Amino acid sequence: EAQVTQNPRYLITVTGKKLTVTCSQNMNHEYMSWYRQDPGLGLRQIYYSMNVEVTDKGDVPEGYKVSRKEKRNFPLILESPSPNQTSLYFCASSSRDTYNSPLHFGNGTRLTVT
Amino acid sequence: GIQVEQSPPDLILQEGANSTLRCNFSDSVNNLQWFHQNPWGQLINLFYIPSGTKQNGRLSATTVATERYSLLYISSSQTTDSGVYFCAVERRGNSGGYQKVTFGTGTKLQVIP
């Protein structure tokens, strides 16, 4: 089954404790991206990757890191989480077909930083 | 950056009613998508529609790229249509140098029996 898998689904952590949220897709998609969703703000893009070893900042990259060492994986790293990073996070992937490349989303990771 | 506005922000419908959701964007875009976020938080792609009209069952969408808006039509609404509807626009660099996606803030739809 074609899917984007995020782990964990729920995570509670404390300020300053490094964490990684994993994202994996099995559709051989070139493009992967991370979003955070906050009430009243919709989804905002954190980072995206056009292909292996190619990443770039989205609209809200501060406090986050990413890496794309393999095509299928795109982990999101919070090196020193803070309470303002409490949010619902989504990973997504798509092909880079010019004419038809819908985004496929994972089921989300709800992060709470205390 | 590009601004994406959706209206209305909230909508309550009686089951069986029809509705139109609107998405306005402030600059030219390469693509536009509509998503439904169900009450469990899952984001489901409804339409990939950079221009023109598409239909899928009771749902249809129209994008008029030259006038910078898109419409999502829901006919004969059902309680399972409840949730939040987002539009998202995509901008790509001419040489493929970037591919940014911007979401609107959504329309929260509640369909009551």
Side-chain angles (χ1 to χ4, degrees), chain A residues 82-102:
Chain A
S82 62
N84 64 13
Q85 292 179 298
T86 292
S87 189
L88 178 58
Y89 292 85
F90 287 97
C91 177
S93 73
S94 71
S95 70
R96 298 203 66 232
D97 185 329
T98 301
Y99 300 107
N100 187 22
S101 56

PDB file of all heavy atoms in Angstrom, chain A residues 82-102:
ATOM      1  N   SER A  82      11.470  23.752  22.253  1.00  0.00           N
ATOM      2  CA  SER A  82      10.923  24.748  23.172  1.00  0.00           C
ATOM      3  C   SER A  82       9.401  24.651  23.134  1.00  0.00           C
ATOM      4  O   SER A  82       8.827  24.090  22.190  1.00  0.00           O
ATOM      5  CB  SER A  82      11.374  26.150  22.772  1.00  0.00           C
ATOM      6  OG  SER A  82      10.877  26.464  21.477  1.00  0.00           O
ATOM      7  N   PRO A  83       8.730  25.171  24.162  1.00  0.00           N
ATOM      8  CA  PRO A  83       7.257  25.057  24.226  1.00  0.00           C
ATOM      9  C   PRO A  83       6.546  25.621  22.991  1.00  0.00           C
ATOM     10  O   PRO A  83       5.476  25.131  22.626  1.00  0.00           O
ATOM     11  CB  PRO A  83       6.909  25.837  25.488  1.00  0.00           C
ATOM     12  CG  PRO A  83       8.102  25.643  26.370  1.00  0.00           C
ATOM     13  CD  PRO A  83       9.271  25.706  25.439  1.00  0.00           C
ATOM     14  N   ASN A  84       7.117  26.612  22.320  1.00  0.00           N
ATOM     15  CA  ASN A  84       6.439  27.161  21.134  1.00  0.00           C
ATOM     16  C   ASN A  84       6.526  26.225  19.924  1.00  0.00           C
ATOM     17  O   ASN A  84       5.979  26.538  18.851  1.00  0.00           O
ATOM     18  CB  ASN A  84       6.954  28.561  20.776  1.00  0.00           C
ATOM     19  CG  ASN A  84       8.414  28.577  20.375  1.00  0.00           C
ATOM     20  OD1 ASN A  84       9.018  27.540  20.121  1.00  0.00           O
ATOM     21  ND2 ASN A  84       8.995  29.766  20.299  1.00  0.00           N
ATOM     22  N   GLN A  85       7.186  25.095  20.081  1.00  0.00           N
ATOM     23  CA  GLN A  85       7.194  24.072  19.037  1.00  0.00           C
ATOM     24  C   GLN A  85       6.156  22.983  19.298  1.00  0.00           C
ATOM     25  O   GLN A  85       6.080  22.001  18.543  1.00  0.00           O
ATOM     26  CB  GLN A  85       8.586  23.463  18.894  1.00  0.00           C
ATOM     27  CG  GLN A  85       9.587  24.479  18.334  1.00  0.00           C
ATOM     28  CD  GLN A  85      10.980  23.927  18.212  1.00  0.00           C
ATOM     29  OE1 GLN A  85      11.603  23.539  19.232  1.00  0.00           O
ATOM     30  NE2 GLN A  85      11.489  23.866  16.996  1.00  0.00           N
ATOM     31  N   THR A  86       5.377  23.161  20.343  1.00  0.00           N
ATOM     32  CA  THR A  86       4.221  22.288  20.565  1.00  0.00           C
ATOM     33  C   THR A  86       3.260  22.496  19.403  1.00  0.00           C
ATOM     34  O   THR A  86       2.814  23.613  19.142  1.00  0.00           O
ATOM     35  CB  THR A  86       3.541  22.640  21.897  1.00  0.00           C
ATOM     36  OG1 THR A  86       4.414  22.281  22.972  1.00  0.00           O
ATOM     37  CG2 THR A  86       2.219  21.893  22.032  1.00  0.00           C
ATOM     38  N   SER A  87       2.960  21.406  18.701  1.00  0.00           N
ATOM     39  CA  SER A  87       2.173  21.534  17.479  1.00  0.00           C
ATOM     40  C   SER A  87       1.836  20.157  16.939  1.00  0.00           C
ATOM     41  O   SER A  87       2.281  19.132  17.465  1.00  0.00           O
ATOM     42  CB  SER A  87       2.973  22.327  16.422  1.00  0.00           C
ATOM     43  OG  SER A  87       2.175  22.646  15.309  1.00  0.00           O
ATOM     44  N   LEU A  88       1.059  20.140  15.867  1.00  0.00           N
ATOM     45  CA  LEU A  88       0.777  18.928  15.104  1.00  0.00           C
ATOM     46  C   LEU A  88       1.630  18.990  13.838  1.00  0.00           C
ATOM     47  O   LEU A  88       1.522  19.952  13.076  1.00  0.00           O
ATOM     48  CB  LEU A  88      -0.712  18.851  14.772  1.00  0.00           C
ATOM     49  CG  LEU A  88      -1.184  17.657  13.936  1.00  0.00           C
ATOM     50  CD1 LEU A  88      -0.849  16.342  14.623  1.00  0.00           C
ATOM     51  CD2 LEU A  88      -2.681  17.771  13.685  1.00  0.00           C
ATOM     52  N   TYR A  89       2.451  17.973  13.632  1.00  0.00           N
ATOM     53  CA  TYR A  89       3.393  17.961  12.524  1.00  0.00           C
ATOM     54  C   TYR A  89       2.983  16.932  11.476  1.00  0.00           C
ATOM     55  O   TYR A  89       2.579  15.810  11.804  1.00  0.00           O
ATOM     56  CB  TYR A  89       4.804  17.641  13.017  1.00  0.00           C
ATOM     57  CG  TYR A  89       5.394  18.736  13.861  1.00  0.00           C
ATOM     58  CD1 TYR A  89       5.140  18.809  15.219  1.00  0.00           C
ATOM     59  CD2 TYR A  89       6.181  19.720  13.274  1.00  0.00           C
ATOM     60  CE1 TYR A  89       5.670  19.829  15.991  1.00  0.00           C
ATOM     61  CE2 TYR A  89       6.720  20.750  14.040  1.00  0.00           C
ATOM     62  CZ  TYR A  89       6.460  20.797  15.391  1.00  0.00           C
ATOM     63  OH  TYR A  89       6.975  21.818  16.151  1.00  0.00           O
ATOM     64  N   PHE A  90       3.116  17.343  10.224  1.00  0.00           N
ATOM     65  CA  PHE A  90       2.810  16.449   9.109  1.00  0.00           C
ATOM     66  C   PHE A  90       3.987  16.385   8.152  1.00  0.00           C
ATOM     67  O   PHE A  90       4.608  17.403   7.833  1.00  0.00           O
ATOM     68  CB  PHE A  90       1.591  16.940   8.321  1.00  0.00           C
ATOM     69  CG  PHE A  90       0.295  16.753   9.018  1.00  0.00           C
ATOM     70  CD1 PHE A  90      -0.285  17.792   9.732  1.00  0.00           C
ATOM     71  CD2 PHE A  90      -0.369  15.531   8.958  1.00  0.00           C
ATOM     72  CE1 PHE A  90      -1.487  17.628  10.374  1.00  0.00           C
ATOM     73  CE2 PHE A  90      -1.578  15.359   9.598  1.00  0.00           C
ATOM     74  CZ  PHE A  90      -2.138  16.410  10.311  1.00  0.00           C
ATOM     75  N   CYS A  91       4.228  15.174   7.669  1.00  0.00           N
ATOM     76  CA  CYS A  91       5.178  14.948   6.593  1.00  0.00           C
ATOM     77  C   CYS A  91       4.376  14.648   5.334  1.00  0.00           C
ATOM     78  O   CYS A  91       3.280  14.053   5.416  1.00  0.00           O
ATOM     79  CB  CYS A  91       6.076  13.774   6.955  1.00  0.00           C
ATOM     80  SG  CYS A  91       7.270  13.308   5.688  1.00  0.00           S
ATOM     81  N   ALA A  92       4.891  15.039   4.190  1.00  0.00           N
ATOM     82  CA  ALA A  92       4.204  14.782   2.928  1.00  0.00           C
ATOM     83  C   ALA A  92       5.223  14.484   1.845  1.00  0.00           C
ATOM     84  O   ALA A  92       6.387  14.888   1.934  1.00  0.00           O
ATOM     85  CB  ALA A  92       3.337  15.965   2.516  1.00  0.00           C
ATOM     86  N   SER A  93       4.759  13.787   0.814  1.00  0.00           N
ATOM     87  CA  SER A  93       5.629  13.518  -0.324  1.00  0.00           C
ATOM     88  C   SER A  93       4.841  13.634  -1.615  1.00  0.00           C
ATOM     89  O   SER A  93       3.607  13.550  -1.618  1.00  0.00           O
ATOM     90  CB  SER A  93       6.260  12.126  -0.215  1.00  0.00           C
ATOM     91  OG  SER A  93       5.297  11.112  -0.478  1.00  0.00           O
ATOM     92  N   SER A  94       5.567  13.867  -2.709  1.00  0.00           N
ATOM     93  CA  SER A  94       4.935  13.857  -4.022  1.00  0.00           C
ATOM     94  C   SER A  94       6.012  13.592  -5.072  1.00  0.00           C
ATOM     95  O   SER A  94       7.203  13.770  -4.811  1.00  0.00           O
ATOM     96  CB  SER A  94       4.226  15.181  -4.320  1.00  0.00           C
ATOM     97  OG  SER A  94       5.154  16.220  -4.541  1.00  0.00           O
ATOM     98  N   SER A  95       5.560  13.173  -6.251  1.00  0.00           N
ATOM     99  CA  SER A  95       6.482  13.111  -7.369  1.00  0.00           C
ATOM    100  C   SER A  95       6.721  14.539  -7.835  1.00  0.00           C
ATOM    101  O   SER A  95       6.092  15.479  -7.319  1.00  0.00           O
ATOM    102  CB  SER A  95       5.882  12.278  -8.502  1.00  0.00           C
ATOM    103  OG  SER A  95       4.798  12.989  -9.077  1.00  0.00           O
ATOM    104  N   ARG A  96       7.582  14.741  -8.757  1.00  0.00           N
ATOM    105  CA  ARG A  96       7.810  16.084  -9.289  1.00  0.00           C
ATOM    106  C   ARG A  96       7.312  16.190 -10.721  1.00  0.00           C
ATOM    107  O   ARG A  96       7.770  17.006 -11.510  1.00  0.00           O
ATOM    108  CB  ARG A  96       9.285  16.462  -9.167  1.00  0.00           C
ATOM    109  CG  ARG A  96       9.726  16.500  -7.728  1.00  0.00           C
ATOM    110  CD  ARG A  96      10.931  17.371  -7.497  1.00  0.00           C
ATOM    111  NE  ARG A  96      10.607  18.768  -7.751  1.00  0.00           N
ATOM    112  CZ  ARG A  96      11.312  19.541  -8.558  1.00  0.00           C
ATOM    113  NH1 ARG A  96      12.371  19.068  -9.199  1.00  0.00           N
ATOM    114  NH2 ARG A  96      10.968  20.796  -8.744  1.00  0.00           N
ATOM    115  N   ASP A  97       6.325  15.354 -11.011  1.00  0.00           N
ATOM    116  CA  ASP A  97       5.659  15.423 -12.304  1.00  0.00           C
ATOM    117  C   ASP A  97       5.061  16.808 -12.466  1.00  0.00           C
ATOM    118  O   ASP A  97       4.336  17.286 -11.596  1.00  0.00           O
ATOM    119  CB  ASP A  97       4.561  14.352 -12.353  1.00  0.00           C
ATOM    120  CG  ASP A  97       3.889  14.261 -13.697  1.00  0.00           C
ATOM    121  OD1 ASP A  97       3.779  15.287 -14.397  1.00  0.00           O
ATOM    122  OD2 ASP A  97       3.457  13.160 -14.055  1.00  0.00           O
ATOM    123  N   THR A  98       5.321  17.443 -13.571  1.00  0.00           N
ATOM    124  CA  THR A  98       4.831  18.802 -13.782  1.00  0.00           C
ATOM    125  C   THR A  98       3.313  18.856 -13.832  1.00  0.00           C
ATOM    126  O   THR A  98       2.697  19.827 -13.407  1.00  0.00           O
ATOM    127  CB  THR A  98       5.397  19.364 -15.098  1.00  0.00           C
ATOM    128  OG1 THR A  98       6.822  19.348 -15.030  1.00  0.00           O
ATOM    129  CG2 THR A  98       4.936  20.787 -15.334  1.00  0.00           C
ATOM    130  N   TYR A  99       2.687  17.805 -14.319  1.00  0.00           N
ATOM    131  CA  TYR A  99       1.256  17.863 -14.602  1.00  0.00           C
ATOM    132  C   TYR A  99       0.388  17.164 -13.580  1.00  0.00           C
ATOM    133  O   TYR A  99      -0.817  17.354 -13.570  1.00  0.00           O
ATOM    134  CB  TYR A  99       0.995  17.283 -15.993  1.00  0.00           C
ATOM    135  CG  TYR A  99       1.727  18.040 -17.068  1.00  0.00           C
ATOM    136  CD1 TYR A  99       2.843  17.489 -17.691  1.00  0.00           C
ATOM    137  CD2 TYR A  99       1.330  19.318 -17.432  1.00  0.00           C
ATOM    138  CE1 TYR A  99       3.530  18.199 -18.657  1.00  0.00           C
ATOM    139  CE2 TYR A  99       2.016  20.032 -18.392  1.00  0.00           C
ATOM    140  CZ  TYR A  99       3.108  19.468 -19.000  1.00  0.00           C
ATOM    141  OH  TYR A  99       3.796  20.168 -19.953  1.00  0.00           O
ATOM    142  N   ASN A 100       0.953  16.357 -12.735  1.00  0.00           N
ATOM    143  CA  ASN A 100       0.130  15.647 -11.755  1.00  0.00           C
ATOM    144  C   ASN A 100       0.991  15.153 -10.616  1.00  0.00           C
ATOM    145  O   ASN A 100       1.588  14.075 -10.692  1.00  0.00           O
ATOM    146  CB  ASN A 100      -0.587  14.465 -12.414  1.00  0.00           C
ATOM    147  CG  ASN A 100      -1.577  13.826 -11.469  1.00  0.00           C
ATOM    148  OD1 ASN A 100      -2.023  14.456 -10.516  1.00  0.00           O
ATOM    149  ND2 ASN A 100      -1.902  12.566 -11.711  1.00  0.00           N
ATOM    150  N   SER A 101       1.067  15.932  -9.560  1.00  0.00           N
ATOM    151  CA  SER A 101       1.893  15.528  -8.427  1.00  0.00           C
ATOM    152  C   SER A 101       1.230  15.940  -7.120  1.00  0.00           C
ATOM    153  O   SER A 101       1.694  16.834  -6.418  1.00  0.00           O
ATOM    154  CB  SER A 101       3.295  16.127  -8.531  1.00  0.00           C
ATOM    155  OG  SER A 101       3.232  17.540  -8.643  1.00  0.00           O
ATOM    156  N   PRO A 102       0.103  15.272  -6.783  1.00  0.00           N
ATOM    157  CA  PRO A 102      -0.561  15.614  -5.518  1.00  0.00           C
ATOM    158  C   PRO A 102       0.278  15.231  -4.314  1.00  0.00           C
ATOM    159  O   PRO A 102       1.061  14.274  -4.357  1.00  0.00           O
ATOM    160  CB  PRO A 102      -1.846  14.785  -5.573  1.00  0.00           C
ATOM    161  CG  PRO A 102      -1.523  13.638  -6.468  1.00  0.00           C
ATOM    162  CD  PRO A 102      -0.578  14.196  -7.495  1.00  0.00           C
TER     163      PRO A 102
END
